[in-house]
């Protein structure tokens, strides 16, 4: 089974899952990690969450920001793990929804392709408005 961990500073991960429930329905294989809400260390939060997740065929971890303490700690604690763990930093909703809806073990190339697609999902609508007044979408 593929499992997903959405990890963030604060409650961003919980908001992401709230969005996913609206768009895709309840998913039992999606976990959240919300850091810095209390005095628990990021090290303990990541360690405990990985233990809670347990066994999987693939774990895809979405971290809120590249270089942030959450992504750094997830990377540090999984670097020597031989299991199929894929870590993505700087996620957006389009990427999370795309990968979770695929709900299958993905290759690194599959993940890279989805990341490129998610980058293209970000659009500055003001530019479109100036050129296509009636056809924004």
């Amino acid at each position: 089974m593929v499992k997903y961990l959405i990890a963030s500073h604060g409650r961003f991960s919980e908001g992401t899952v709230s969005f996913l429930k609206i768009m895709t329905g309840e998913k039992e294989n999606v976990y959240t990690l919300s850091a810095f809400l209390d005095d628990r260390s990021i090290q303990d939060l990541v360690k405990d969450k990985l233990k809670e997740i347990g066994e999987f065929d693939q774990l895809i971890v979405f971290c809120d920001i590249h270089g942030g303490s959450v992504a750094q700690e997830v990377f540090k604690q999984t670097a020597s793990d031989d299991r199929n763990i894929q870590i993505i930093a700087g996620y957006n909703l389009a990427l999370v929804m795309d990968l979770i809806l695929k709900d299958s073990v993905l290759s690194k190339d599959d993940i890279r392709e989805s990341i490129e697609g998610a980058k293209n999902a970000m659009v500055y609508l003001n530019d479109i408005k100036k050129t296509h007044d009636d056809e924004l979408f």
Side-chain angles (χ1 to χ4, degrees):
M1 168 182 247
V2 179
K3 295 184 179 180
Y4 306 90
L5 172 59
I6 302 172
S8 69
H9 297 78
R11 299 191 189 283
F12 185 53
S13 61
E14 295 169 27
T16 300
V17 170
S18 175
F19 166 82
L20 288 171
K21 286 179 184 175
I22 292 167
M23 301 302 288
T24 67
E26 188 83 29
K27 302 286 185 192
E28 292 184 18
N29 57 340
V30 177
Y31 300 80
T32 62
L33 184 148
S34 300
F36 307 109
L37 298 178
D38 56 30
D39 61 353
R40 291 190 62 206
S41 73
I42 184 66
Q43 295 83 4
D44 287 345
L45 285 170
V46 171
K47 183 176 105 177
D48 292 347
K49 187 58 66 170
L50 291 172
K51 185 182 286 187
E52 176 189 337
I53 291 169
E55 295 302 313
F56 49 81
D57 296 316
Q58 182 175 56
L59 174 63
I60 298 178
V61 182
F62 300 95
C63 297
D64 56 355
I65 188 164
H66 178 253
S69 54
V70 173
Q72 288 182 45
E73 189 59 33
V74 169
F75 185 80
K76 187 186 317 178
Q77 288 197 32
T78 60
S80 63
D81 195 319
D82 291 334
R83 298 179 295 170
N84 186 353
I85 301 173
Q86 307 301 315
I87 305 169
I88 301 165
Y91 74 84
N92 64 20
L93 295 173
L95 177 64
V96 175
M97 192 164 64
D98 178 49
L99 293 180
I100 287 176
L101 285 174
K102 288 180 179 172
D103 198 27
S104 61
V105 173
L106 301 172
S107 70
K108 291 177 183 183
D109 286 338
D110 292 334
I111 293 170
R112 288 184 187 105
E113 185 177 308
S114 289
I115 289 171
E116 286 305 310
K119 288 178 185 178
N120 293 328
M122 291 185 283
V123 177
Y124 183 46
L125 290 180
N126 288 43
D127 287 343
I128 294 173
K129 182 179 179 185
K130 291 176 183 176
T131 59
H132 300 92
D133 285 336
D134 295 328
E135 299 176 21
L136 285 179
F137 305 96

